[in-house]
Amino acid sequence: MAKTILIVDDSPSLRQIVAMTLEGAGFEVIQAGDGKIALSKLDGKKIHLVISDVNMPNMDGITFVQEMKKLAAYKFTPVIMLTTESQEAKKREGQAAGAKAWVVKPFQPAQMLAAVAKLILP
């Protein structure tokens, strides 16, 4: 059975690129345009990994991760932050919220898949 990854980003084109990369590697993908929409999709279904942008309208990625980690079913779900942010302070904030990896845009598909492979065991 395919592992499920939730992609949270306000850019439809970026979500599409990430989704194509992941689906091509055999993952099932759920997409959300911001943190609020993403939270509404966390309905108890098993999510193996979350890939989230940091800067989004309505609810930013770090707030989303903090809120997601409060939900028992998703407390231990690994998170990759995919963002243009590269400052150490932002990375520390992301880590404190529960992010396990930080990938800076633009990214190479192989780089994304390598990060995913480290966090999801086959």
Side-chain angles (χ1 to χ4, degrees), residues 71-84:
L71 304 172
Y74 303 101
K75 186 174 185 159
F76 299 108
T77 303
V79 177
I80 296 173
M81 301 308 287
L82 176 63
T83 179
T84 56

Side-chain angles (χ1 to χ4, degrees), residues 31-110:
Q31 297 184 36
D34 65 45
K36 280 194 171 171
I37 296 167
L39 279 177
S40 74
K41 294 181 183 269
L42 298 178
D43 55 7
K45 179 179 183 188
K46 176 67 176 162
I47 305 283
H48 296 87
L49 176 72
V50 172
I51 298 173
S52 178
D53 189 10
V54 171
N55 299 311
M56 297 180 286
N58 302 319
M59 182 185 288
D60 67 88
I62 290 174
T63 303
F64 161 67
V65 173
Q66 290 168 336
E67 293 300 310
M68 180 190 87
K69 295 291 186 176
K70 292 177 185 174
L71 304 172
Y74 303 101
K75 186 174 185 159
F76 299 108
T77 303
V79 177
I80 296 173
M81 301 308 287
L82 176 63
T83 179
T84 56
E85 296 280 351
S86 59
Q87 298 96 344
E88 282 306 314
K90 243 338 167 191
K91 289 181 183 179
R92 283 193 298 278
E93 197 179 339
Q95 277 184 320
K100 297 287 182 219
W102 197 272
V103 177
V104 178
K105 299 174 191 174
F107 70 96
Q108 295 298 318

